[in-house]
Amino acid sequence: MTELSLIIRTEQPIDSEAIERLHERAFGPGRFARTASRLREGVPHLLDLSFTALVGTLLVGSVRLTPVQAGPERALMLGPLTVEPAFEGRGIGAALMQRSLDAARDKGHGLVLLVGDEPYYRRFGFKRVPPGHLQLPGPVNPDRFLEVELIDGALARAKGQVSALSA
């Protein structure tokens, strides 16, 4: 069998339907009830910091970054990071993560937040948000509330409630 090459590119508006179908397959209907999803609801993600992975013409992965307010500090909420289940374990998620974090850093963003598994995201520099430092607008396991500073000191300036950034 011929190995197809992976292409990672910025998300295009035409990708939205395929990405929604991918999210549905990967996360199911309960995805809308999650705190992180509710925080992103109604706030457009940043296309220049959101990426898709393609094998040939097949969209097999996606990562999105959405602006949020973390107390007085602007930040980015990462997610969802999604890989087509049949393509998991091939480094696609890691490639998408690295591309999005590099792009955010290059554009001067200081802080990225997410809700996810620390053992997976640790390799990208993520660690738990210190208890009581930031609060999400709904229930979340504090062990899964993670951050990575792209600019030193960004987390120290971000204290309090994390909220959607009005457009």
Side-chain angles (χ1 to χ4, degrees):
M1 182 170 186
T2 306
E3 181 95 15
L4 295 176
S5 62
L6 181 70
I7 298 168
I8 296 191
R9 64 164 170 76
T10 54
E11 181 181 327
Q12 305 298 307
I14 196 167
D15 297 329
S16 63
E17 282 185 39
I19 291 170
E20 287 308 312
R21 288 192 305 271
L22 175 62
H23 291 169
E24 185 175 349
R25 284 189 300 279
F27 301 118
R31 68 191 180 279
F32 298 114
R34 295 178 178 171
T35 296
S37 289
R38 291 178 35 226
L39 182 62
R40 292 187 294 264
E41 197 171 81
V43 179
H45 58 281
L46 302 172
L47 284 177
D48 62 332
L49 298 179
S50 299
F51 294 89
T52 57
L54 297 118
V55 173
T57 59
L58 180 65
L59 191 141
V60 297
S62 167
V63 64
R64 289 177 166 172
L65 286 170
T66 303
V68 294
Q69 194 71 36
E73 184 80 1
R74 287 192 176 219
L76 297 169
M77 190 76 179
L78 189 141
L81 170 64
T82 317
V83 175
E84 184 68 53
F87 286 83
E88 288 178 353
R90 299 180 187 195
I92 295 170
L96 286 164
M97 277 294 300
Q98 200 57 60
R99 180 70 67 89
S100 66
L101 293 175
D102 289 346
R105 186 178 291 106
D106 290 348
K107 293 194 182 261
H109 293 277
L111 183 64
V112 178
L113 305 171
L114 66 80
V115 177
D117 295 324
E118 186 184 20
Y120 177 82
Y121 291 104
R122 185 182 304 127
R123 63 182 146 158
F124 305 105
F126 282 89
K127 54 190 173 194
R128 291 180 190 160
V129 171
H133 194 83
L134 290 170
Q135 296 80 42
L136 289 172
V140 69
N141 178 339
D143 293 340
R144 294 176 50 80
F145 187 24
L146 310 176
E147 59 82 15
V148 65
E149 284 186 312
L150 303 179
I151 296 174
D152 287 342
L155 180 64
R157 293 187 300 273
K159 289 187 180 199
Q161 188 69 34
V162 178
S163 59
L165 199 59
S166 45

